[in-house]
Coordinates of all heavy atoms in Angstrom, one line a residue:
M1 N -10.4 -31.0 -10.1 CA -9.5 -31.1 -9.0 C -9.6 -29.8 -8.2 O -9.4 -28.7 -8.7 CB -8.1 -31.3 -9.5 CG -7.0 -31.3 -8.4 SD -5.4 -31.5 -9.0 CE -5.1 -33.2 -8.5
P2 N -9.8 -29.9 -6.9 CA -9.9 -28.7 -6.1 C -8.6 -28.0 -5.9 O -7.5 -28.6 -6.0 CB -10.4 -29.2 -4.7 CG -10.1 -30.7 -4.7 CD -10.1 -31.1 -6.1
A3 N -8.6 -26.7 -5.7 CA -7.4 -25.9 -5.5 C -6.8 -26.3 -4.2 O -7.4 -26.6 -3.3 CB -7.7 -24.4 -5.5
P4 N -5.4 -26.4 -4.2 CA -4.7 -26.8 -3.0 C -5.0 -25.9 -1.8 O -4.9 -26.3 -0.6 CB -3.3 -26.9 -3.3 CG -3.1 -26.0 -4.6 CD -4.5 -26.1 -5.2
H5 N -5.3 -24.7 -2.1 CA -5.5 -23.7 -1.0 C -6.8 -22.9 -1.4 O -7.1 -22.8 -2.6 CB -4.4 -22.7 -0.9 CG -3.1 -23.3 -0.6 ND1 -2.8 -23.9 0.6 CD2 -2.0 -23.6 -1.4 CE1 -1.6 -24.4 0.6 NE2 -1.1 -24.3 -0.6
G6 N -7.5 -22.4 -0.5 CA -8.7 -21.6 -0.7 C -8.3 -20.3 -1.4 O -7.1 -20.0 -1.6
P7 N -9.3 -19.4 -1.7 CA -9.0 -18.1 -2.3 C -8.1 -17.3 -1.3 O -8.2 -17.4 -0.1 CB -10.4 -17.5 -2.4 CG -11.4 -18.4 -1.8 CD -10.7 -19.6 -1.4
R8 N -7.2 -16.6 -2.0 CA -6.3 -15.8 -1.2 C -7.0 -14.6 -0.6 O -7.8 -13.9 -1.2 CB -5.2 -15.3 -2.1 CG -4.1 -14.5 -1.3 CD -2.9 -14.2 -2.2 NE -2.0 -13.5 -1.5 CZ -0.8 -13.1 -1.9 NH1 -0.5 -13.4 -3.1 NH2 0.0 -12.4 -1.1
R9 N -6.8 -14.4 0.7 CA -7.4 -13.3 1.4 C -6.6 -12.0 1.2 O -5.4 -12.0 1.0 CB -7.4 -13.6 2.9 CG -8.4 -14.7 3.3 CD -8.5 -14.9 4.8 NE -7.6 -14.1 5.5 CZ -7.5 -14.1 6.8 NH1 -8.2 -14.9 7.5 NH2 -6.6 -13.3 7.5
R10 N -7.3 -10.9 1.2 CA -6.6 -9.6 1.1 C -5.9 -9.3 2.4 O -6.3 -9.7 3.5 CB -7.6 -8.5 0.9 CG -8.2 -8.5 -0.5 CD -9.0 -7.3 -0.7 NE -9.6 -7.3 -2.1 CZ -10.3 -6.4 -2.6 NH1 -10.6 -5.3 -1.8 NH2 -10.7 -6.4 -3.8
A11 N -4.7 -8.6 2.3 CA -4.0 -8.2 3.4 C -4.7 -7.1 4.2 O -5.5 -6.3 3.5 CB -2.6 -7.7 3.0
R12 N -4.6 -7.1 5.4 CA -5.1 -6.0 6.2 C -4.3 -4.8 6.1 O -3.0 -4.9 6.0 CB -5.2 -6.4 7.7 CG -5.8 -5.4 8.6 CD -5.9 -6.0 10.0 NE -6.0 -4.9 11.0 CZ -5.1 -4.4 11.7 NH1 -3.8 -4.9 11.6 NH2 -5.3 -3.4 12.5
I13 N -4.9 -3.6 5.9 CA -4.1 -2.4 5.8 C -4.1 -1.6 7.1 O -5.2 -1.4 7.7 CB -4.7 -1.5 4.6 CG1 -4.8 -2.2 3.3 CG2 -4.0 -0.2 4.5 CD1 -3.5 -2.4 2.6
A14 N -3.0 -1.1 7.5 CA -2.9 -0.2 8.7 C -2.1 1.0 8.2 O -1.3 0.9 7.3 CB -2.2 -1.0 9.8
F15 N -2.2 2.1 8.9 CA -1.5 3.3 8.6 C -0.6 3.8 9.7 O -1.0 3.7 10.9 CB -2.5 4.5 8.3 CG -3.4 4.2 7.1 CD1 -4.6 3.7 7.2 CD2 -2.9 4.6 5.8 CE1 -5.4 3.4 6.1 CE2 -3.7 4.4 4.7 CZ -4.9 3.8 4.8
S16 N 0.6 4.2 9.4 CA 1.4 4.8 10.4 C 0.8 6.1 10.8 O -0.1 6.6 10.1 CB 2.8 5.0 9.8 OG 2.8 6.1 8.8
D17 N 1.3 6.7 11.9 CA 0.8 8.0 12.3 C 0.9 9.1 11.2 O 0.0 9.9 11.0 CB 1.5 8.5 13.6 CG 1.1 7.7 14.8 OD1 0.1 7.0 14.8 OD2 1.9 7.7 15.8
S18 N 2.1 9.1 10.6 CA 2.3 10.1 9.5 C 1.4 9.9 8.3 O 0.8 10.9 7.8 CB 3.7 10.2 9.1 OG 4.1 9.0 8.5
A19 N 1.1 8.7 8.0 CA 0.2 8.4 6.9 C -1.2 8.7 7.3 O -2.0 9.2 6.5 CB 0.3 6.9 6.5
A20 N -1.6 8.5 8.5 CA -2.9 8.8 9.0 C -3.1 10.3 9.0 O -4.2 10.8 8.6 CB -3.2 8.3 10.4
K21 N -2.1 11.1 9.3 CA -2.2 12.6 9.2 C -2.4 13.0 7.7 O -3.2 13.9 7.5 CB -0.9 13.2 9.8 CG -0.9 13.1 11.3 CD 0.4 13.7 11.9 CE 0.4 13.5 13.3 NZ 1.7 14.0 13.9
Q22 N -1.7 12.4 6.8 CA -1.8 12.7 5.4 C -3.3 12.4 5.0 O -3.9 13.1 4.2 CB -0.9 11.9 4.5 CG 0.5 12.4 4.6 CD 1.4 11.6 3.6 OE1 1.5 10.4 3.8 NE2 2.0 12.2 2.7
L23 N -3.8 11.3 5.4 CA -5.1 10.9 5.1 C -6.2 11.9 5.6 O -7.1 12.2 4.9 CB -5.4 9.5 5.7 CG -6.7 8.8 5.3 CD1 -6.8 8.6 3.8 CD2 -6.8 7.5 6.0
D24 N -5.9 12.4 6.7 CA -6.9 13.4 7.3 C -6.9 14.7 6.5 O -7.9 15.5 6.5 CB -6.5 13.8 8.7 CG -6.8 12.7 9.7 OD1 -7.6 11.8 9.4 OD2 -6.2 12.7 10.8
T25 N -5.9 15.0 5.7 CA -5.8 16.2 4.9 C -6.4 16.1 3.5 O -6.6 17.1 2.8 CB -4.4 16.7 4.8 OG1 -3.6 15.8 4.0 CG2 -3.7 17.0 6.1
I26 N -6.8 14.9 3.1 CA -7.4 14.7 1.8 C -8.8 15.1 1.8 O -9.6 14.7 2.6 CB -7.3 13.2 1.4 CG1 -5.8 12.8 1.3 CG2 -8.0 13.0 0.1 CD1 -5.6 11.3 1.0
T27 N -9.1 16.0 0.9 CA -10.5 16.5 0.8 C -11.1 16.2 -0.6 O -12.3 16.3 -0.8 CB -10.6 18.0 1.0 OG1 -9.7 18.7 0.1 CG2 -10.1 18.4 2.5
S28 N -10.3 15.9 -1.5 CA -10.8 15.7 -2.9 C -11.3 14.2 -3.1 O -10.6 13.3 -2.7 CB -9.6 16.0 -3.9 OG -9.9 15.4 -5.1
A29 N -12.4 14.1 -3.7 CA -12.9 12.7 -4.0 C -12.0 12.0 -5.0 O -11.8 10.8 -4.9 CB -14.3 12.8 -4.6
A30 N -11.4 12.7 -5.9 CA -10.4 12.1 -6.9 C -9.2 11.6 -6.2 O -8.7 10.5 -6.5 CB -10.0 13.1 -7.9
E31 N -8.7 12.3 -5.2 CA -7.5 11.8 -4.4 C -7.9 10.6 -3.6 O -7.1 9.7 -3.5 CB -7.0 12.9 -3.5 CG -6.3 14.0 -4.2 CD -5.8 15.1 -3.3 OE1 -6.3 15.2 -2.1 OE2 -4.9 15.9 -3.7
L32 N -9.1 10.6 -3.0 CA -9.5 9.4 -2.2 C -9.7 8.2 -3.1 O -9.3 7.1 -2.8 CB -10.9 9.7 -1.5 CG -10.7 10.6 -0.2 CD1 -12.1 10.9 0.3 CD2 -9.9 9.9 0.8
H33 N -10.2 8.4 -4.3 CA -10.4 7.3 -5.3 C -9.0 6.8 -5.7 O -8.8 5.5 -5.7 CB -11.1 7.8 -6.5 CG -11.1 6.8 -7.6 ND1 -12.0 5.7 -7.6 CD2 -10.4 6.7 -8.8 CE1 -11.8 5.0 -8.7 NE2 -10.8 5.5 -9.4
A34 N -8.0 7.7 -5.9 CA -6.7 7.2 -6.3 C -6.1 6.4 -5.2 O -5.5 5.4 -5.4 CB -5.8 8.4 -6.6
L35 N -6.2 6.9 -3.9 CA -5.7 6.2 -2.8 C -6.4 4.8 -2.6 O -5.7 3.8 -2.4 CB -5.8 7.0 -1.5 CG -5.4 6.3 -0.2 CD1 -3.9 5.9 -0.3 CD2 -5.6 7.2 1.0
D36 N -7.7 4.8 -2.7 CA -8.4 3.5 -2.6 C -7.9 2.5 -3.6 O -7.7 1.3 -3.3 CB -9.9 3.7 -2.8 CG -10.6 4.4 -1.5 OD1 -9.9 4.3 -0.5 OD2 -11.7 4.9 -1.7
R37 N -7.8 2.9 -4.8 CA -7.3 2.0 -5.9 C -5.9 1.4 -5.6 O -5.7 0.3 -5.7 CB -7.3 2.8 -7.2 CG -6.8 2.0 -8.4 CD -6.8 2.8 -9.7 NE -5.9 2.1 -10.6 CZ -6.2 1.8 -11.8 NH1 -7.4 2.1 -12.3 NH2 -5.4 1.3 -12.6
A38 N -5.0 2.3 -5.1 CA -3.7 1.8 -4.8 C -3.7 0.9 -3.6 O -3.0 -0.2 -3.6 CB -2.8 3.0 -4.5
L39 N -4.6 1.2 -2.6 CA -4.7 0.3 -1.4 C -5.2 -1.1 -1.8 O -4.8 -2.1 -1.3 CB -5.5 0.9 -0.4 CG -4.9 2.2 0.3 CD1 -5.9 2.8 1.2 CD2 -3.6 1.8 1.1
V40 N -6.2 -1.1 -2.7 CA -6.7 -2.4 -3.2 C -5.6 -3.2 -3.8 O -5.5 -4.4 -3.6 CB -7.9 -2.2 -4.2 CG1 -8.2 -3.5 -4.9 CG2 -9.1 -1.7 -3.4
V41 N -4.8 -2.6 -4.7 CA -3.7 -3.3 -5.4 C -2.8 -4.0 -4.3 O -2.5 -5.2 -4.4 CB -2.9 -2.4 -6.3 CG1 -1.7 -3.1 -6.8 CG2 -3.8 -2.0 -7.5
I42 N -2.3 -3.2 -3.4 CA -1.3 -3.8 -2.4 C -2.0 -4.7 -1.4 O -1.3 -5.6 -0.8 CB -0.5 -2.7 -1.7 CG1 -1.3 -1.8 -0.9 CG2 0.4 -2.0 -2.8 CD1 -0.4 -0.9 0.0
S43 N -3.3 -4.6 -1.2 CA -4.0 -5.5 -0.3 C -4.1 -6.9 -1.0 O -4.1 -7.9 -0.3 CB -5.3 -5.0 0.2 OG -6.3 -5.0 -0.9
V44 N -4.3 -6.9 -2.3 CA -4.4 -8.1 -3.0 C -3.1 -8.7 -3.2 O -2.9 -10.0 -3.2 CB -5.2 -7.9 -4.4 CG1 -5.1 -9.1 -5.3 CG2 -6.6 -7.5 -4.1
D45 N -2.1 -7.9 -3.5 CA -0.7 -8.4 -3.8 C 0.3 -7.5 -3.1 O 0.8 -6.5 -3.7 CB -0.4 -8.4 -5.3 CG 0.9 -9.0 -5.6 OD1 1.6 -9.5 -4.7 OD2 1.3 -8.9 -6.8
P46 N 0.6 -7.8 -1.8 CA 1.6 -7.0 -1.1 C 2.9 -6.8 -1.7 O 3.7 -5.9 -1.4 CB 1.7 -7.6 0.3 CG 0.4 -8.4 0.4 CD 0.0 -8.8 -1.0
D47 N 3.3 -7.8 -2.6 CA 4.6 -7.7 -3.3 C 4.5 -6.9 -4.6 O 5.5 -6.9 -5.4 CB 5.1 -9.1 -3.6 CG 5.4 -9.9 -2.4 OD1 5.8 -9.3 -1.4 OD2 5.2 -11.1 -2.4
A48 N 3.4 -6.2 -4.8 CA 3.2 -5.4 -6.1 C 4.2 -4.3 -6.2 O 4.7 -3.9 -7.3 CB 1.8 -4.9 -6.2
G49 N 4.6 -3.7 -5.1 CA 5.6 -2.6 -5.1 C 7.0 -3.1 -5.2 O 7.3 -4.3 -5.1
E50 N 7.9 -2.2 -5.5 CA 9.3 -2.4 -5.6 C 10.0 -2.2 -4.3 O 9.7 -1.3 -3.6 CB 9.9 -1.5 -6.6 CG 9.4 -1.6 -8.0 CD 9.7 -3.0 -8.6 OE1 10.8 -3.5 -8.4 OE2 8.8 -3.5 -9.3
P51 N 10.9 -3.2 -3.9 CA 11.6 -3.0 -2.6 C 12.6 -1.8 -2.7 O 13.2 -1.5 -3.8 CB 12.4 -4.3 -2.5 CG 12.2 -5.1 -3.7 CD 11.2 -4.4 -4.6
L52 N 12.7 -1.0 -1.7 CA 13.6 0.1 -1.6 C 14.9 -0.3 -1.0 O 14.9 -1.2 -0.1 CB 13.0 1.3 -0.8 CG 11.7 1.9 -1.4 CD1 11.1 3.0 -0.4 CD2 12.0 2.5 -2.7
P53 N 16.0 0.3 -1.4 CA 17.3 -0.1 -0.8 C 17.2 0.3 0.7 O 16.7 1.3 1.1 CB 18.3 0.8 -1.5 CG 17.6 1.4 -2.6 CD 16.1 1.3 -2.4
G54 N 17.8 -0.6 1.5 CA 17.9 -0.3 2.9 C 18.7 -1.4 3.6 O 19.4 -2.1 3.0
T55 N 18.6 -1.4 4.9 CA 19.4 -2.4 5.7 C 18.4 -3.4 6.2 O 17.2 -3.3 6.2 CB 20.1 -1.7 6.9 OG1 19.1 -1.2 7.8 CG2 21.0 -0.6 6.4
A56 N 19.0 -4.5 6.7 CA 18.2 -5.6 7.3 C 17.7 -5.3 8.7 O 17.0 -6.0 9.3 CB 19.0 -6.9 7.2
A57 N 18.2 -4.2 9.3 CA 17.9 -3.8 10.6 C 16.4 -3.5 10.9 O 15.9 -3.8 11.9 CB 18.8 -2.7 11.1
G58 N 15.8 -2.9 9.9 CA 14.4 -2.4 10.1 C 13.5 -3.1 9.1 O 13.9 -4.0 8.4
P59 N 12.2 -2.7 9.1 CA 11.3 -3.3 8.1 C 11.7 -2.9 6.7 O 12.3 -1.9 6.5 CB 10.0 -2.7 8.5 CG 10.3 -1.4 9.3 CD 11.6 -1.7 9.9
R60 N 11.5 -3.8 5.8 CA 11.9 -3.6 4.4 C 10.8 -2.8 3.7 O 9.7 -3.3 3.4 CB 12.0 -5.0 3.7 CG 12.5 -4.9 2.3 CD 14.0 -4.5 2.3 NE 14.4 -4.6 0.9 CZ 15.7 -4.5 0.5 NH1 16.6 -4.3 1.4 NH2 16.0 -4.6 -0.7
L61 N 11.1 -1.5 3.4 CA 10.1 -0.6 2.8 C 10.0 -1.0 1.3 O 10.9 -1.4 0.7 CB 10.6 0.8 2.9 CG 10.4 1.5 4.3 CD1 11.0 2.9 4.2 CD2 9.0 1.5 4.7
R62 N 8.8 -0.8 0.8 CA 8.4 -1.0 -0.6 C 7.7 0.2 -1.1 O 7.2 1.0 -0.3 CB 7.5 -2.2 -0.7 CG 8.1 -3.5 -0.2 CD 7.2 -4.7 -0.5 NE 7.1 -5.1 -1.9 CZ 8.0 -5.8 -2.5 NH1 9.1 -6.3 -1.9 NH2 7.9 -6.1 -3.8
E63 N 7.8 0.4 -2.4 CA 7.2 1.6 -3.0 C 6.3 1.1 -4.1 O 6.7 0.3 -5.0 CB 8.2 2.5 -3.6 CG 7.6 3.7 -4.4 CD 8.7 4.5 -5.0 OE1 9.7 4.0 -5.4 OE2 8.5 5.7 -5.1
Y64 N 5.0 1.5 -4.1 CA 4.0 1.2 -5.1 C 3.7 2.5 -5.8 O 3.2 3.4 -5.1 CB 2.8 0.5 -4.6 CG 1.8 0.3 -5.7 CD1 1.9 -0.7 -6.6 CD2 0.7 1.2 -5.8 CE1 1.0 -0.8 -7.7 CE2 -0.3 1.0 -6.8 CZ -0.1 0.1 -7.7 OH -1.0 -0.1 -8.7
A65 N 3.9 2.6 -7.1 CA 3.5 3.8 -7.9 C 2.5 3.4 -8.9 O 2.7 2.4 -9.7 CB 4.7 4.4 -8.5
D66 N 1.4 4.2 -9.0 CA 0.4 4.0 -10.0 C 0.4 5.3 -10.9 O 0.0 6.3 -10.4 CB -1.0 3.8 -9.4 CG -2.1 3.6 -10.4 OD1 -2.0 4.0 -11.5 OD2 -3.1 2.9 -10.0
D67 N 1.0 5.2 -12.1 CA 1.1 6.3 -12.9 C -0.2 6.8 -13.5 O -0.4 8.0 -13.8 CB 2.1 6.0 -14.1 CG 3.5 5.8 -13.6 OD1 3.9 6.4 -12.5 OD2 4.3 5.0 -14.2
V68 N -1.2 5.9 -13.6 CA -2.5 6.3 -14.1 C -3.2 7.2 -13.1 O -3.7 8.3 -13.4 CB -3.4 5.1 -14.4 CG1 -4.8 5.5 -14.8 CG2 -2.7 4.2 -15.5
E69 N -3.2 6.8 -11.9 CA -3.9 7.5 -10.8 C -3.0 8.6 -10.2 O -3.4 9.4 -9.3 CB -4.4 6.6 -9.7 CG -5.5 5.7 -10.2 CD -6.8 6.4 -10.4 OE1 -7.0 7.5 -10.0 OE2 -7.7 5.7 -11.0
R70 N -1.7 8.6 -10.6 CA -0.7 9.5 -10.1 C -0.6 9.5 -8.5 O -0.8 10.5 -7.9 CB -1.0 10.9 -10.6 CG -1.0 11.0 -12.1 CD -1.1 12.4 -12.7 NE -0.2 13.4 -12.1 CZ 1.0 13.5 -12.4 NH1 1.6 12.8 -13.3 NH2 1.8 14.5 -11.8
V71 N -0.4 8.3 -8.0 CA -0.2 8.1 -6.6 C 1.0 7.2 -6.3 O 1.3 6.3 -7.2 CB -1.5 7.5 -6.0 CG1 -1.8 6.2 -6.5 CG2 -1.5 7.5 -4.5
R72 N 1.6 7.4 -5.2 CA 2.7 6.5 -4.8 C 2.5 6.2 -3.3 O 2.2 7.1 -2.5 CB 4.0 7.3 -5.0 CG 5.2 6.4 -4.7 CD 6.5 7.1 -5.2 NE 6.6 8.5 -4.7 CZ 7.7 9.1 -4.7 NH1 8.8 8.6 -5.2 NH2 7.7 10.4 -4.2
L73 N 2.7 5.0 -2.9 CA 2.6 4.6 -1.5 C 3.9 4.0 -1.1 O 4.6 3.2 -1.8 CB 1.6 3.5 -1.4 CG 0.1 3.8 -1.6 CD1 -0.7 2.5 -1.6 CD2 -0.4 4.8 -0.7
L74 N 4.3 4.3 0.1 CA 5.5 3.7 0.8 C 4.9 2.8 1.9 O 4.1 3.3 2.7 CB 6.4 4.8 1.3 CG 7.0 5.7 0.3 CD1 7.9 6.7 1.0 CD2 7.8 5.0 -0.8
Y75 N 5.3 1.6 1.9 CA 4.8 0.7 2.9 C 5.7 -0.5 3.2 O 6.7 -0.6 2.6 CB 3.4 0.1 2.4 CG 3.6 -0.8 1.2 CD1 3.6 -2.2 1.3 CD2 3.7 -0.3 -0.1 CE1 3.8 -3.0 0.2 CE2 3.8 -1.1 -1.2 CZ 3.9 -2.5 -1.1 OH 4.0 -3.3 -2.1
W76 N 5.4 -1.2 4.2 CA 6.1 -2.5 4.5 C 5.1 -3.5 4.9 O 3.9 -3.2 5.3 CB 7.2 -2.3 5.6 CG 6.7 -1.8 6.9 CD1 6.5 -0.5 7.3 CD2 6.4 -2.5 8.1 NE1 6.1 -0.4 8.6 CE2 6.0 -1.7 9.1 CE3 6.5 -3.9 8.4 CZ2 5.7 -2.1 10.4 CZ3 6.1 -4.3 9.6 CH2 5.7 -3.4 10.6
V77 N 5.5 -4.8 4.8 CA 4.6 -5.9 5.1 C 5.1 -6.6 6.4 O 6.2 -7.0 6.4 CB 4.5 -6.9 3.9 CG1 3.5 -8.0 4.2 CG2 4.1 -6.1 2.6
S78 N 4.2 -6.7 7.3 CA 4.6 -7.3 8.6 C 4.7 -8.9 8.4 O 4.3 -9.4 7.4 CB 3.5 -7.1 9.7 OG 2.3 -7.8 9.5
A79 N 5.3 -9.5 9.4 CA 5.4 -11.0 9.4 C 4.1 -11.7 9.2 O 4.0 -12.8 8.7 CB 6.2 -11.4 10.6
L80 N 3.0 -11.1 9.7 CA 1.7 -11.7 9.7 C 0.9 -11.3 8.4 O -0.2 -11.6 8.3 CB 0.9 -11.4 10.9 CG 1.5 -11.9 12.2 CD1 0.7 -11.4 13.4 CD2 1.6 -13.4 12.2
G81 N 1.6 -10.5 7.5 CA 1.0 -10.2 6.3 C 0.2 -8.9 6.3 O -0.5 -8.6 5.3
T82 N 0.2 -8.1 7.4 CA -0.4 -6.8 7.4 C 0.4 -5.8 6.6 O 1.6 -5.8 6.8 CB -0.6 -6.3 8.9 OG1 -1.4 -7.3 9.6 CG2 -1.3 -5.0 8.9
V83 N -0.2 -5.1 5.8 CA 0.5 -4.0 5.0 C 0.3 -2.7 5.9 O -0.7 -2.3 6.2 CB -0.2 -3.8 3.6 CG1 0.4 -2.6 2.9 CG2 0.0 -5.1 2.8
V84 N 1.5 -2.2 6.2 CA 1.5 -0.9 7.0 C 1.9 0.2 6.0 O 3.1 0.2 5.5 CB 2.5 -1.0 8.2 CG1 2.5 0.3 8.9 CG2 2.1 -2.2 9.1
V85 N 1.0 1.1 5.8 CA 1.3 2.2 4.9 C 2.0 3.3 5.7 O 1.5 3.8 6.7 CB 0.0 2.8 4.2 CG1 0.3 4.0 3.4 CG2 -0.7 1.7 3.4
V86 N 3.2 3.7 5.2 CA 4.0 4.7 5.9 C 3.7 6.1 5.3 O 3.6 7.0 6.1 CB 5.5 4.4 5.7 CG1 6.4 5.5 6.3 CG2 5.8 3.0 6.2
A87 N 3.4 6.2 4.0 CA 3.1 7.5 3.5 C 2.4 7.3 2.2 O 2.5 6.4 1.4 CB 4.4 8.3 3.2
F88 N 1.5 8.3 1.9 CA 0.7 8.4 0.7 C 1.2 9.7 0.0 O 1.1 10.8 0.6 CB -0.8 8.5 1.0 CG -1.6 9.1 -0.1 CD1 -1.7 8.4 -1.3 CD2 -2.3 10.2 0.0 CE1 -2.5 8.9 -2.3 CE2 -3.1 10.7 -1.0 CZ -3.2 10.0 -2.2
I89 N 1.9 9.5 -1.1 CA 2.5 10.7 -1.8 C 1.9 10.9 -3.2 O 1.9 9.9 -4.0 CB 4.0 10.4 -1.9 CG1 4.6 10.2 -0.5 CG2 4.7 11.6 -2.5 CD1 6.0 9.6 -0.5
E90 N 1.5 12.1 -3.5 CA 1.0 12.3 -4.8 C 2.2 12.5 -5.7 O 3.2 13.1 -5.3 CB 0.2 13.6 -4.8 CG -1.2 13.5 -4.2 CD -1.9 14.8 -4.4 OE1 -2.5 15.0 -5.4 OE2 -1.9 15.5 -3.4
V91 N 2.1 12.0 -6.9 CA 3.2 12.2 -7.9 C 3.1 13.5 -8.6 O 2.0 13.9 -9.0 CB 3.3 11.0 -8.8 CG1 4.4 11.2 -9.9 CG2 3.5 9.7 -8.0

């Protein structure tokens, strides 16, 4: 029996201005690898992170933490499924 839907597409990743500035300061290959790994996780499953407390007035921020790679991402998911990374924070 064929699947009711085709394979799930990865979400598109976009960076806020502050996250783009953080990205520009990364010089270590290990840090880039850690960030890439975390971005893959949230692009495959945008709900992987935990919702942060907030109000319904703005976008609902989520936090994804990877203790193995020691990285944390703050992001929100747009109505069209684009993941917007607000900040890349080392733990």
